[in-house]
Amino acid sequence: MGWTGCHGLLWLVVFQTLKCTTVVSKENDEKPRRVAIIGGGIGGSFAAKYLADYDVSSCSLDSVVLFDPTLDDDIEEPHANDSLQGGRVASVTLKDGTVVELGASVAYSGNRLLVEMIEGDPESLTMGKPFHPGLGKQTMLDDRYNISEWRNGLGVYNGNGEWPLIAAGPDDDHTKWQLFVRYNLDLLRIKRATNKALESFEQIYSLLDSMDPSTFFRSPDALWQEVGLWEYALQSFDQLLDSLWISKSTPLWRSFLPYQGSLREELLTAVNLCNYNQANSKLNGLAGMVSFIPTTGKLFSVVGGNNQLISSALRQADNVHDGACKSGDFVNHVKKAVTTVISDFEGMELWSGEENLGHFDTVILAAPLQHSGISFYIHSHVDAAILQDMPLNLVAHNEDVEEDATRPHFYTSPLPLSAKLQYTQVVTTVVSNATLQLEYFSLSDINTPRSLYVTERGKQLHGITAITQVTPDGVYKMFSSDRLSENDLSAMFGSGNIVEAVKVWGGRKGGATPNYNGGGNASIASKFLLYESGQGIEEGPALYYINAIEAAVSCMELSAIGAKSVAKLVAKRLKLIEYSSPGEHEEL
């Protein structure tokens, strides 16, 4: 069930009366500030940390309450880590203590916000090798197995025994050389374009750190425009590759040379199917570029599971705020699913079914709007006992125009397509006691790579998008569009395999990543500020939306960027930070 209220006004009778008290300025209001965050993934937990950072000077925030029900029915395995896991971060601990990432498996060394969070908690967080999450800080998987037992490299499978690419050399340098020989000029072109895009992307960090009023972005679109990447989001990845002269198939002159292939049909398609379960034509150019950026630097995983980033961010928030404000536990985690948000002129009330969860000055949504299962309402201005749909996507009262009694009370723009499209489904399956059936995949023991990816045809024939060897003793992880049957698993891993975990991303409510729909209108994002009270007072209650950042591209670092962007806006609204006015970026 997604957001309700898209089709006109829904009127309900409620058994309460609104106290129509005008919000006053902070100087005259001694009421402690309370912020609610709905969603406990990277976005929600990092937002709590950034709010703590912004409040160390004023100590104006009483608390941050993070609502995350921790739905256990999404991971069908009794040993699954179930603490505060959100959007793209989840892991499962096997009986021998081995930790397997179920979602976002690796990060890129240039992901500055993730790295900063890790460096802020050196006692709990350690960067390890990619795909080697290990058993804990002191024990790495490399200590348990001989280096010769690990497979190396990658392969791209086309189905029916066809392997366009197998780059499974003895080390990474050998694999890189194989890729260069096969794709040569096209590989150089995409790397050159990626480096250029990365230079633009890295401007985001200085903008986030700045308190200049022009850096308080109202929308992700304005942020992408500022750093020069907006045009990438408006076109499909295929269109971007056309502009870079990346061949659609192996060029004729190269077809006469040995070991030549199409970077576009093979590796780029395979990487995007693995990361997004979407082909090049369905991705936008920005998402495709971000998917390739990790090739420009080192990759890592957090030892013991990337989900530790979430709990660490919350601990760091408590420590930072307590150190400056003597506040004790600043962030409170409530294991409740928020089902209703009701706004009046004093604040926002949260409900879980018929249970009142409290009254808050600001609410931050850190979950996909269309899959949140939340109904958003406001009290009617005619009769406070009546609820009507909350008009989302900004704002009450046009601040640039003098108030006119003939104008509607609210000014909103329709929710964009990105806030309505269903997310793409991905299912993660982990098996142990498994033996990769080489005959099924037409492989030999000599050339079998560690990671198996597929082309579009390979996905259609076998239903998978990736298989990775987690440990040499028979633990494998797979991504697929749908649940894999026992027959499928037996064909790939033998009849003795044991299913350790099945993670259906989004459960019955959603999917793994946004449907980018080839860019264009689908890349236009919601505003970070979805709603404010309508009193024309900036301190009034407001609803912010971190996941607006996902309209153009999604990954762990983008969730962190969305969290910091929203935390800045909230800190500005609640006067936690000093800034000069006006001049914030207008939305596109």
Side-chain angles (χ1 to χ4, degrees):
M1 179 175 65
W3 173 72
T4 61
C6 297
H7 308 289
L9 297 179
L10 173 63
W11 298 85
L12 294 176
V13 177
V14 295
F15 301 101
Q16 59 180 325
T17 302
L18 171 66
K19 296 178 181 179
C20 297
T21 304
T22 303
V23 177
V24 297
S25 65
K26 176 181 171 182
E27 289 77 6
N28 299 320
D29 186 3
E30 297 180 358
K31 183 183 68 172
R33 301 291 190 183
R34 300 186 74 211
V35 175
I37 299 175
I38 304 172
I42 293 291
S45 60
F46 277 46
K49 168 59 166 60
Y50 297 137
L51 285 173
D53 291 338
Y54 289 134
D55 195 41
V56 294
S57 296
S58 66
C59 296
S60 299
L61 290 179
D62 176 64
S63 65
V64 170
V65 182
L66 186 146
F67 294 96
D68 186 332
T70 312
L71 298 175
D72 297 328
D73 62 347
D74 285 351
I75 305 178
E76 299 176 357
E77 202 286 318
H79 307 286
N81 293 343
D82 61 358
S83 58
L84 300 175
Q85 297 188 352
R88 255 157 227 96
V89 182
S91 62
V92 62
T93 303
L94 307 187
K95 292 178 182 179
D96 66 355
T98 300
V99 178
V100 183
E101 297 292 350
L102 299 178
S105 303
V106 296
Y108 158 60
S109 58
N111 291 159
R112 197 172 304 176
L113 299 185
L114 295 184
V115 172
E116 286 176 358
M117 197 64 73
I118 293 170
E119 292 175 344
D121 190 6
E123 294 185 0
S124 302
L125 301 179
T126 302
M127 289 191 289
K129 294 180 180 180
F131 306 110
H132 290 247
L135 303 172
K137 185 174 181 181
Q138 302 300 325
T139 307
M140 296 293 292
L141 286 178
D142 283 349
D143 299 331
R144 287 175 51 187
Y145 304 102
N146 187 294
I147 190 69
S148 63
E149 295 182 273
W150 291 99
R151 298 191 186 277
N152 292 298
L154 59 90
V156 176
Y157 188 47
N158 200 33
N160 290 337
E162 298 177 12
W163 287 89
L165 170 67
I166 295 182
D171 52 45
D172 289 343
D173 288 338
H174 187 85
T175 299
K176 290 177 181 178
W177 172 249
Q178 287 179 285
L179 294 177
F180 175 73
V181 170
R182 184 166 183 81
Y183 302 127
N184 44 77
L185 290 179
D186 282 349
L187 191 61
L188 293 176
R189 290 187 183 107
I190 191 68
K191 284 197 170 186
R192 184 166 57 244
T194 302
N195 287 331
K196 181 180 177 181
L198 183 59
E199 290 178 6
S200 298
F201 186 89
E202 289 180 340
Q203 298 176 53
I204 291 175
Y205 299 111
S206 60
L207 294 171
L208 289 176
D209 290 338
S210 173
M211 289 296 111
D212 185 280
S214 67
T215 64
F216 289 79
F217 295 94
R218 291 181 178 176
S219 73
D221 301 349
L223 176 60
W224 295 126
Q225 186 179 48
E226 179 68 17
V227 300
L229 293 175
W230 179 234
E231 292 301 321
Y232 286 67
L234 293 179
Q235 57 187 312
S236 72
F237 190 46
D238 261 345
Q239 290 171 325
L240 178 60
L241 294 177
D242 286 342
S243 69
L244 297 175
W245 296 92
I246 306 295
S247 308
K248 291 184 177 180
S249 57
T250 306
L252 181 61
W253 68 271
R254 281 174 45 207
S255 64
F256 295 102
L257 301 175
Y259 196 63
Q260 298 298 292
S262 169
L263 174 68
R264 188 163 172 169
E265 288 183 335
E266 299 169 6
L267 187 60
L268 293 181
T269 294
V271 168
N272 289 327
L273 287 176
C274 175
N275 289 341
Y276 300 108
N277 197 16
Q278 295 173 62
N280 297 336
S281 61
K282 297 299 182 182
L283 278 186
N284 66 56
L286 183 57
M289 275 295 185
V290 168
S291 187
F292 202 74
I293 279 178
T295 64
T296 64
K298 294 182 179 180
L299 301 179
F300 69 88
S301 297
V302 176
V303 176
N306 292 333
N307 64 298
Q308 293 180 97
L309 284 164
I310 295 170
S311 54
S312 176
L314 300 181
R315 282 197 306 272
Q316 291 183 57
D318 282 339
N319 293 338
V320 166
H321 204 264
D322 184 50
C325 307
K326 308 304 178 185
S327 56
D329 290 336
F330 175 63
V331 182
N332 300 304
H333 172 224
V334 177
K335 288 190 174 185
K336 297 286 185 180
V338 176
T339 58
T340 308
V341 175
I342 303 173
S343 179
D344 57 36
F345 300 139
E346 293 181 314
M348 292 194 170
E349 204 167 54
L350 272 56
W351 293 77
S352 179
E354 297 181 357
E355 180 183 358
N356 191 323
L357 301 176
H359 209 255
F360 300 88
D361 301 280
T362 300
V363 174
I364 298 173
L365 179 61
L369 181 64
Q370 58 268 57
H371 297 308
S372 66
I374 302 174
S375 299
F376 298 91
Y377 300 116
I378 60 173
H379 286 277
S380 168
H381 300 287
V382 178
D383 184 347
I386 300 295
L387 295 183
Q388 64 186 54
D389 293 333
M390 183 182 292
L392 298 181
N393 209 34
L394 215 70
V395 293
H397 284 306
N398 188 334
E399 297 177 359
D400 299 326
V401 181
E402 293 185 5
E403 188 171 345
D404 182 348
T406 64
R407 290 178 176 271
H409 193 75
F410 291 96
Y411 294 91
T412 61
S413 55
L415 283 170
L417 185 61
S418 62
K420 302 173 184 177
L421 288 172
Q422 292 288 109
Y423 275 36
T424 58
Q425 185 62 71
V426 174
V427 179
T428 306
T429 305
V430 177
V431 295
S432 63
N433 197 42
T435 302
L436 189 69
Q437 301 299 290
L438 301 183
E439 184 176 349
Y440 178 82
F441 290 104
S442 299
L443 289 168
S444 71
D445 195 48
I446 297 175
N447 70 346
T448 300
R450 183 177 184 186
S451 296
L452 286 65
Y453 304 107
V454 297
T455 62
E456 289 188 71
R457 181 180 172 218
K459 174 188 170 182
Q460 291 171 356
L461 291 175
H462 296 276
I464 57 173
T465 56
I467 299 176
T468 297
Q469 178 200 51
V470 179
T471 66
D473 59 357
V475 178
Y476 287 85
K477 176 176 71 175
M478 289 145 287
F479 293 147
S480 58
S481 298
D482 300 298
R483 293 172 182 268
L484 297 172
S485 68
E486 290 185 16
N487 290 337
D488 292 332
L489 294 175
S490 295
M492 291 186 281
F493 300 105
S495 58
N497 76 84
I498 300 171
V499 177
E500 297 283 355
V502 177
K503 171 74 174 178
V504 181
W505 290 96
R508 295 177 296 273
K509 300 180 179 66
T513 56
N515 177 357
Y516 293 113
N517 208 37
N521 289 337
S523 296
I524 297 174
S526 305
K527 307 300 186 292
F528 284 129
L529 177 59
L530 278 181
Y531 171 79
E532 61 181 349
S533 67
Q535 293 302 291
I537 299 175
E538 191 172 48
E539 292 180 54
L543 172 67
Y544 288 88
Y545 184 37
I546 289 175
N547 289 57
I549 196 73
E550 293 186 328
V553 62
S554 61
C555 62
M556 287 192 290
E557 183 73 356
L558 261 296
S559 294
I561 289 171
K564 193 161 188 177
S565 299
V566 165
K568 272 183 69 173
L569 292 171
V570 173
K572 170 179 176 287
R573 185 180 194 86
L574 299 181
K575 294 183 169 58
L576 309 181
I577 54 179
E578 295 183 359
Y579 65 97
S580 55
S581 61
E584 67 185 272
H585 274 268
E586 295 298 324
E587 64 273 14
L588 296 180

